[in-house]
Amino acid sequence: MNVLVTRRLLPGVLDPLRRWAVDVWEGEGPMPRSELTKRVADVDGLLCMLTDRIDAELLAAAPRLRVVSQMAVGVDNVDLGACTARGIPVGHTPGVLTETTADTAWALLAAATRRIPEGHDHVRGGHWGPWDPGLLLGGDLWDTTLGIVGLGRIGSAVARRARGFSMRVLYTGPRRKPHLEARLRVTYRELDDLLAESDHVVLTAPLTPETRHLIGRDALRRMRPDATLVNVARGGLVDHEALYEALIEGWIGRAALDVTEPEPIPGDHPLVGLPNCLIIPHLGSASERTRRAMAELAVANLERGLRGEPLVHCANPEVEHP
Ligand code: GLV
Ligand code: GLV
């Protein structure tokens, strides 16, 4: 059987696939669309990244394809309906990246709220003068209210960490999760109320038609003028034009983004130049240990799919249990 891997991965992780013919894209960036379309023609298994668009057109170019295995938890780049229609299971990598991504959310929240990048620039720029009681005053983390949009695995891990900072934690999502409320000490709010009551808002919801631009002008206007907005989910959750306006006009205090729309965000995008907007290049799960675990899980999903077995984590389980 033939396997295509759309990006070079950490050494050794593809070893379990040795018995099959494995084609790995060795190019610098993501696989160009034309190359991907060409190379899937005789492929049985595809190990892909969130930068690859897996849609009906691509599936049509891959008549032998029997499993798609994505090395990410989010699968908004994959047309699940089209895969399901073809009977193709789609693997993804939840669980293994939860804690690392929650750490990233906290790193962004702390850095932005306490203005760490501005302090770093201040020193690098040679501006550090005598101690100044008014220099770079930011917000607090301790004894504040954290609002989590999307209390899934990552949102729950973010909530757990909030206890160490003596925070009140609110959450919102498509439904209440009473079983988590006592365990995590979190309280449900409708989105509008959560936005109005939270000092910090962290987005951990998947990107779907329902969540696209969930944080637009109306939402940002409901937030507190000193609030921090953190996005470790997908850039598409936030209307970036509205966010720019919000940061310039002071509707919110600051934003910290691991993900943007588009991605990569151009260096001359107005958000990039704002001192109250911290942006990092989609590093949520980027620890060595976690990226290895994600690759290993993606390989395990692929192997199982090729053997016709249920995947470890399947994003369209209706394929496996029709
Ligand atoms: C990363 O963004 C992922 O979805 O795993
Ligand atoms: C600051 O360093 C302080 O001692 O208050």
Side-chain angles (χ1 to χ4, degrees), residues 48-70:
C48 59
M49 307 294 128
L50 55 87
T51 39
D52 303 313
R53 198 172 78 252
I54 312 299
D55 54 11
E57 181 196 58
L58 188 80
L59 296 182
R64 287 170 49 165
L65 192 63
R66 55 158 80 186
V67 56
V68 169
S69 176
Q70 167 141 301

Side-chain angles (χ1 to χ4, degrees), residues 66-90:
R66 55 158 80 186
V67 56
V68 169
S69 176
Q70 167 141 301
M71 193 182 116
V73 63
V75 288
D76 46 284
N77 58 307
V78 179
D79 184 337
L80 289 180
C83 290
T84 302
R86 271 275 305 274
I88 298 174
V90 177

